Amino acid sequence: MRQHALFQHINRFVQLEENEFAEIIGYFQHENVPKKGVLMQAGDRFVKDYFVLTGCVHMYCVDHQGIEHTIQFALENWWIADYLAMQKEQSTSFYIQAIEGSELLSITIANKKKLLLDFPKMESYFREMYQIGYGSYQTRMKYILSYSKEEIYFRFRDNFPDFVNSVPQYLIASYLGLSAEYVSKLRRKSFS
């Protein structure tokens, strides 16, 4: 089963036996979402943490002018959630939407708390995930603050070719704080 991908991912960071995973997987729900299907929307109170088995999803917010701003992507074997809303058990101000048909495992706040109590080694696993995620956020901010718009795009393209090849250009532009037209111009420039 595809959920075995989570077992393999956990074992990259902490040692987990098959019988432990058989219990752990019971805390999760399996979800299939079609392309452009919405997993979470602003105002939702009961947010979940999602592990992507297949496909690609993104988190975004909508500003006061109605413009969408991509905050985060998640490809296979990545986690995505509004972690502050989960921690504070409050409503989210973000949306999570499938970019393509996706298969995910989700865990509720209550189930995650119980999981961490029942399997303390999962606390270490999630700490690793948060550190990696926060480190990625810091790198993104460094790019935005330190590089020209052109450098931001080319560094992103070189460091994350999977995204550039599988995510629509307008979403990459949104994530990098660039216009879709400017990204299109840069892509043409790089092919000439």
Side-chain angles (χ1 to χ4, degrees):
M1 269 203 153
R2 287 196 177 124
Q3 66 191 23
H4 196 70
L6 178 58
F7 175 70
Q8 293 172 328
H9 196 265
I10 292 169
N11 270 299
R12 289 176 52 203
F13 301 94
V14 297
Q15 288 305 115
L16 194 66
E17 300 297 326
E18 290 270 0
N19 62 330
E20 291 176 300
F21 183 71
E23 290 182 55
I24 286 170
I25 200 64
Y27 293 83
F28 291 84
Q29 294 292 317
H30 186 265
E31 297 189 34
N32 286 305
V33 61
K35 180 178 182 175
K36 296 194 177 186
V38 176
L39 293 160
M40 182 179 81
Q41 54 189 340
D44 284 354
R45 180 134 178 89
F46 301 103
V47 298
K48 299 176 185 177
D49 200 349
Y50 295 95
F51 181 78
V52 180
L53 295 169
T54 63
C56 182
V57 300
H58 75 122
M59 178 189 291
Y60 65 93
C61 63
V62 179
D63 69 18
H64 64 280
Q65 296 176 325
I67 298 170
E68 294 180 10
H69 301 279
T70 298
I71 305 298
Q72 180 185 352
F73 292 105
L75 293 170
E76 293 178 13
N77 297 323
W78 288 35
W79 288 93
I80 191 166
D82 180 346
Y83 293 110
L84 191 57
M86 287 186 79
Q87 194 273 331
K88 292 187 173 190
E89 296 186 36
Q90 66 186 24
S91 299
T92 183
S93 58
F94 298 104
Y95 297 80
I96 297 179
Q97 182 181 38
I99 295 171
E100 59 191 34
S102 301
E103 185 179 356
L104 307 107
L105 293 172
S106 66
I107 188 166
T108 63
I109 296 167
N111 277 355
K112 193 169 186 180
K113 285 181 178 182
K114 186 162 177 25
L115 170 69
L116 297 177
L117 287 173
D118 294 346
F119 294 90
K121 65 175 75 175
M122 291 300 291
E123 188 89 44
S124 295
Y125 168 73
F126 280 109
R127 186 186 69 244
E128 292 279 344
M129 296 304 94
Y130 300 144
Q131 288 173 334
I132 291 167
Y134 194 69
S136 295
Y137 168 77
Q138 290 172 322
T139 299
R140 179 181 174 208
M141 291 308 300
K142 179 180 89 171
Y143 282 13
I144 290 170
L145 297 172
S146 303
Y147 302 119
S148 70
K149 290 179 179 184
E150 186 173 316
E151 288 173 314
I152 290 169
Y153 173 76
F154 288 121
R155 285 178 183 267
F156 181 81
R157 182 202 62 189
D158 294 344
N159 289 321
F160 303 101
D162 290 343
F163 282 117
V164 175
N165 295 326
S166 62
V167 174
Q169 186 173 293
Y170 75 95
L171 291 176
I172 291 171
S174 170
Y175 179 72
L176 297 175
L178 307 172
S179 71
E181 296 78 18
Y182 186 71
V183 169
S184 181
K185 177 182 164 186
L186 292 175
R187 285 176 58 113
R188 282 193 309 273
K189 180 179 179 179
S190 69
F191 290 122
S192 53

